[in-house]
Amino acid sequence: MADLDKYRNCIRQLLTEYAQRASSNNEIEAQTIFDGEQDHYQLIYIGWQNRRRVFGPVMHFDINFD
């Protein structure tokens, strides 16, 4: 279980740091989504650019130990 917690923390840290650096456009927000129960982690962009809607995943991680 220690390895699993290590993976979770590393992914959270990576996505959080990337989201903070990616916020160069004031109209597009970088959002992190962490689902620790199902081990799904995602970074998305959401907002507007030149009157067009921006919404989409940038990075997505799943942890699966079957």
Side-chain angles (χ1 to χ4, degrees):
M1 275 307 193
D3 286 339
L4 182 57
D5 289 335
K6 181 179 175 182
Y7 292 139
R8 288 175 176 151
N9 290 333
C10 288
I11 291 170
R12 286 184 186 124
Q13 182 178 355
L14 172 76
L15 293 178
T16 301
E17 289 176 7
Y18 195 91
Q20 290 170 351
R21 285 188 247 156
S23 298
S24 62
N25 184 336
N26 291 337
E27 295 183 19
I28 299 176
E29 180 182 357
Q31 293 184 355
T32 54
I33 301 169
F34 302 143
D35 176 4
E37 289 185 26
Q38 301 295 318
D39 283 324
H40 302 295
Y41 305 90
Q42 190 167 346
L43 172 67
I44 64 169
Y45 286 155
I46 187 167
W48 296 91
Q49 184 174 20
N50 299 327
R51 302 175 122 188
R52 296 190 70 169
R53 180 79 169 141
V54 174
F55 180 83
V58 179
M59 285 188 243
H60 179 93
F61 296 95
D62 288 330
I63 300 174
N64 189 350
F65 284 105
D66 284 337

